[in-house]
Amino acid sequence: MPSASVITIGNAIGTCPDLAVCEKECDGGSADRCRRLAATYAFGQGVDKDEAKATALYEKACDMKDAAACVFAGQMHEYAHGVPKDDATAARFYERACDMQWAGGCYNLAIMYERGTGVPQDRARAADLYQIACTAGAKSSCEKAREMHGPAPVPFFDARALP
């Protein structure tokens, strides 16, 4: 029996109550159904858990421009769920989600740039990505963006310029 947290997460991102219908709709080009089908296999809800199949389905949905699926595909690669750990591939999926204005993709990519995981370490790029994630609604990244950008510069005051 899956834990309550797995069921809650599965419900939050959506799973497929009818696999045959989801498979048909996914094959027909529905990114939403591919992502839901992936979650169904990732969490083993009503099917045997199959993280490799879930990863492939998240990738397929990402290719169909489903930003959330891109983040989930990135996480599968970053944390070796059904595929070998591959931080560079994870970063590419996060970047695709970020390019679609998905806050979670920008946030995860920012972490990778901050740490130099899967991408060259670049704190300035990380700070910018945290800011993008903040602007897109990931409030937890706002403080990180402020922290990394540093305090606002104090304007230079030249008393000699006064009359």
Side-chain angles (χ1 to χ4, degrees):
M1 183 89 184
S3 71
S5 63
V6 169
I7 292 170
T8 301
I9 292 169
N11 288 339
I13 64 172
T15 57
C16 290
D18 186 329
L19 287 179
V21 170
C22 272
E23 286 174 357
K24 181 179 179 184
E25 291 176 355
C26 174
D27 290 343
S30 171
D32 175 72
R33 290 301 177 214
C34 290
R35 179 181 31 77
R36 289 173 181 272
L37 192 56
T40 301
Y41 282 102
F43 296 114
Q45 287 198 290
V47 296
D48 290 335
K49 186 174 183 173
D50 186 341
E51 291 181 328
K53 187 170 189 164
T55 301
L57 287 162
Y58 282 136
E59 291 175 359
K60 181 176 181 175
C62 179
D63 288 343
M64 294 179 196
K65 308 292 187 235
D66 185 301
C70 295
V71 171
F72 296 134
Q75 290 172 332
M76 299 301 271
H77 285 277
E78 184 177 4
Y79 299 105
H81 290 288
V83 292
K85 180 173 177 57
D86 185 341
D87 291 329
T89 297
R92 285 191 297 274
F93 279 108
Y94 295 149
E95 185 168 35
R96 289 174 68 184
C98 186
D99 288 346
M100 289 183 252
Q101 311 304 310
W102 192 260
C106 299
Y107 184 79
N108 288 356
L109 186 58
I111 292 169
M112 297 190 94
Y113 272 105
E114 181 180 7
R115 296 177 180 166
T117 307
V119 293
Q121 187 174 33
D122 185 339
R123 293 182 58 79
R125 175 87 171 119
D128 291 344
L129 287 163
Y130 281 125
Q131 185 58 55
I132 292 167
C134 172
T135 302
K139 298 304 175 199
S140 61
S141 67
C142 298
E143 185 173 325
K144 192 71 176 172
R146 281 190 298 274
E147 171 191 312
M148 292 189 76
H149 277 121
V154 177
F156 176 72
F157 176 72
D158 186 350
R160 296 173 295 183
L162 293 175

